[in-house]
Amino acid sequence: MKRRRFIQLSSLGIAAMPFFSITGILNLENMEVKTFYFKDDGIIPNSKFPLLVYKNAFSERGNSGADFLEKKFRDHNWYNSWRWGVYPFHHYHSVSHEVLGVFQGTALLHMGDPNGEKLNVEAGDILIIPAGVGHKCISHSEDFTVVGAYPNGMDYDLVKEEKSKHAQSVKNIQKVSFPSDDPLLGKTGGIKKYWK
């Protein structure tokens, strides 16, 4: 994957957007929530919590879509944000959950482990990835870019498919705290409903 752009944002807030813009961008009436469960395969731990995919969750695209996502995620205490793509190799995070908001382009992602699910994602989709759930990009459009963020602005690690790291990763995952808010929906719905 060619590295197009990676922007590590400071922990300071993003400039506020007008309220009418935010309500116009959200697409909750047409949003479809999909859940995917993946079992531990002995190499990639995956999670007891499902991967959540919010299809068609917001309508803004490009940089204004990215700005919207960064603000929305931060408002719900998910930050330490960046803009880039998804690595082309299976990896997971053992010390934090992760949200990815697709603000431009399309991609085919492989989620879970090598026997997991291949998902087509496009601008407007949001993925909430529990700690331990594997993911990689198989193919993507030239402009495919996401905003990534983490609950409480946590640091994140990057663990590849390595059996030797499995046992420690399982211990790490058990210590990951439950987020206070869903990155898109806040204190109602989303992870509050599906991550019981």
Side-chain angles (χ1 to χ4, degrees), residues 52-127:
L52 296 180
V53 180
Y54 298 164
K55 296 292 293 178
N56 197 29
F58 64 99
S59 60
E60 196 66 24
R61 302 292 183 259
N63 286 331
S64 58
D67 292 342
F68 162 74
L69 290 171
E70 287 163 352
K71 181 176 186 322
K72 179 59 73 175
F73 294 163
R74 183 165 184 76
D75 285 348
H76 296 305
N77 210 30
W78 290 64
Y79 51 100
N80 191 13
S81 304
W82 49 266
R83 299 180 189 185
W84 196 36
V86 176
Y87 288 117
F89 51 84
H90 256 118
H91 66 284
Y92 61 91
H93 311 293
S94 74
V95 297
S96 181
H97 308 299
E98 180 178 49
V99 62
L100 301 178
V102 184
F103 64 88
Q104 60 188 27
T106 61
L108 178 62
L109 303 182
H110 195 164
M111 308 301 294
D113 53 72
N115 294 315
E117 293 279 342
K118 294 178 182 175
L119 304 178
N120 287 300
V121 297
E122 60 189 348
D125 294 347
I126 293 174
L127 295 85

Side-chain angles (χ1 to χ4, degrees), residues 16-27 68 71-72 75:
M17 296 173 65
F19 180 75
F20 68 86
S21 295
I22 292 175
T23 57
I25 291 171
L26 280 176
N27 193 25
F68 162 74
K71 181 176 186 322
K72 179 59 73 175
D75 285 348

Side-chain angles (χ1 to χ4, degrees), residues 5-55:
R5 178 179 54 188
F6 182 88
I7 301 173
Q8 183 70 42
L9 298 176
S10 72
S11 61
L12 298 174
I14 308 302
M17 296 173 65
F19 180 75
F20 68 86
S21 295
I22 292 175
T23 57
I25 291 171
L26 280 176
N27 193 25
L28 300 182
E29 293 166 359
N30 296 317
M31 183 177 82
E32 179 185 2
V33 180
K34 296 186 174 187
T35 59
F36 300 90
Y37 289 87
F38 305 106
K39 293 182 179 177
D40 186 335
D41 72 351
I43 298 174
I44 296 179
N46 287 306
S47 178
K48 64 182 179 181
F49 300 128
L51 163 72
L52 296 180
V53 180
Y54 298 164
K55 296 292 293 178

